[in-house]
Amino acid sequence: MSGLSDRQRVGFGKILNLLSEVDLLSLCDTVTNKLILVENITEATETILSFTKNAEELLKRKKVHRDLIFKYLAEEGVVMPSNSEKHQLVKRALDLWSPGKAVFDAEVQPEMDDTESDSANVKAEAGFDAQVLGQQFCQWFFRVLNSQNPSLGKQPENWGPQHFWPDVKMRLLSRTGSDQMEEFDGAETVNLRLLALAREERLLLSPTLEPHGLKALVSTHGLVMVSVAGTIHRDGACLGIFEQIFGLISSPLENNSWKIKFVNLKIRGQDALGGTEVAAPALSYNSTDLQLELACGCSTVDGTFF
């Protein structure tokens, strides 16, 4: 009997799919001590998953090369530094698969019908954990946004204005040599501007999902505010860091799916960092700042940068 969770089985299925047939069959022999004879790669994959008792143990197998885990994480929207060691990638994959209290089917079912809204799978539940929902929302959001980047060479996932409220507002503050503030109103406009970051500008945004890089709070009226920091990459190079605040409100007319009410994105380029470490940036917003914004019900950051 397999000791893997459903989420781990899905993740491993994608990683094993990246293996050559020779390596996959060899791994199957190793995992089963050559006790099981398989006839094709489908049987080999299922046998490996069935005989694996521990996710970390399988990730550490020699045939599960560092580059495979790196590529898998990138395809899931988790862009790690190009010089990351295997043990760091293993830990990140295990974190990605860690269970949470919020329901987020899009994370374990990324191949969805184009007519179906992924965000409809994030459900509001009594007593839900805002921090867990924030983490799973960010895993979904950045994976789907990054999938629009042609440099990943993967099929773009379901992205569009349906994930935003019609009156959504967005502010984009960038410091890449000179300061520039852009403001956008409406679901279609905000959707297209974020899409351009990935598709035209070919940026990959890698969020820091650990507590020092992500905070989430919920108001008594149901607004969830999620703040996340991370690094920005293009073609394997780290360009700088970002910090982003989302305001999320569930829609009772759409099966209580969470939709984005406002977005505040701040980008700081490498040239403006002055040699600051950017591998895993921490949030500049503290809980008090977020409580103030939550009380206002909107993003009120005045543009102060980190």
Side-chain angles (χ1 to χ4, degrees):
M1 178 68 82
S2 173
L4 301 178
S5 67
D6 289 342
R7 188 174 300 177
Q8 290 169 342
R9 287 178 65 90
V10 171
F12 273 123
K14 295 179 180 180
I15 292 175
L16 296 178
N17 191 50
L18 298 173
L19 279 168
S20 67
E21 181 175 356
V22 172
D23 283 347
L24 183 65
L25 295 175
S26 176
L27 179 60
C28 184
D29 285 342
T30 300
V31 171
T32 65
N33 289 320
K34 298 185 178 180
L35 296 176
I36 303 296
L37 179 64
V38 298
E39 297 182 353
N40 52 55
I41 59 175
T42 300
E43 288 186 7
T45 299
E46 185 57 35
T47 300
I48 291 170
L49 296 178
S50 297
F51 274 74
T52 295
K53 299 288 193 294
N54 180 281
E56 184 175 3
E57 177 183 287
L58 183 55
L59 283 171
K60 290 182 176 180
R61 295 282 188 183
K62 289 183 178 180
K63 293 297 183 183
V64 184
H65 306 296
R66 172 206 172 276
D67 291 347
L68 295 180
I69 306 174
F70 185 90
K71 184 175 181 181
Y72 163 74
L73 290 172
E75 290 181 348
E76 293 299 298
V78 181
V79 184
M80 297 287 288
S82 58
N83 61 347
S84 297
E85 297 182 6
K86 183 176 179 179
H87 72 89
Q88 295 172 311
L89 300 175
V90 167
K91 181 181 183 302
R92 191 64 189 84
L94 293 173
D95 289 342
L96 182 64
W97 298 335
S98 62
K101 299 177 184 178
V103 178
F104 197 22
D105 294 342
E107 183 184 345
V108 296
Q109 298 177 2
E111 302 299 330
M112 301 182 67
D113 189 285
D114 287 342
T115 62
E116 185 176 354
S117 170
D118 296 26
S119 59
N121 292 303
V122 187
K123 306 293 176 57
E125 297 181 351
F128 74 92
D129 188 319
Q131 186 72 14
V132 171
L133 184 143
Q135 183 184 58
Q136 296 188 349
F137 166 79
C138 287
Q139 288 175 345
W140 165 79
F141 177 87
F142 291 103
R143 189 196 74 230
V144 176
L145 179 60
N146 285 335
S147 76
Q148 314 304 314
N149 188 320
S151 67
L152 285 184
K154 65 176 292 187
Q155 181 67 31
E157 295 189 40
N158 184 25
W159 175 269
Q162 71 272 15
H163 302 311
F164 304 87
W165 285 91
D167 60 348
V168 62
K169 296 183 182 298
M170 172 179 166
R171 287 191 294 170
L172 172 59
L173 174 63
S174 58
R175 175 173 289 176
T176 54
S178 62
D179 291 356
Q180 182 177 354
M181 171 72 82
E182 302 175 68
E183 297 187 356
F184 306 90
D185 294 318
E188 185 60 37
T189 303
V190 172
N191 152 64
L192 290 176
R193 183 63 187 95
L194 287 170
L195 180 61
L197 292 176
R199 193 167 62 186
E200 278 77 41
E201 299 177 41
R202 301 171 73 90
L203 299 180
L204 291 171
L205 304 183
S206 178
T208 301
L209 300 182
E210 287 73 25
H212 69 276
L214 186 150
K215 290 185 175 65
L217 299 173
V218 60
S219 75
T220 55
H221 302 293
L223 170 70
V224 175
M225 184 170 291
V226 180
S227 181
V228 62
T231 51
I232 307 170
H233 305 255
R234 182 191 289 132
D235 299 328
C238 182
L239 302 183
I241 59 179
F242 73 90
E243 192 162 358
Q244 193 159 3
I245 291 181
F246 300 92
L248 308 177
I249 299 177
S250 63
S251 173
L253 300 180
E254 297 182 55
N255 200 23
N256 283 335
S257 64
W258 292 97
K259 303 178 73 170
I260 302 170
K261 183 69 171 178
F262 61 80
V263 186
N264 184 35
L265 173 60
K266 301 193 294 185
I267 294 174
R268 191 172 187 181
Q270 189 78 266
D271 57 347
L273 291 175
T276 302
E277 174 62 44
V278 298
L283 286 170
S284 65
Y285 299 119
N286 57 36
S287 296
T288 301
D289 296 330
L290 290 180
Q291 287 285 6
L292 290 173
E293 297 226 356
L294 196 61
C296 295
C298 62
S299 182
T300 58
V301 178
D302 62 7
T304 303
F305 218 112
F306 295 91

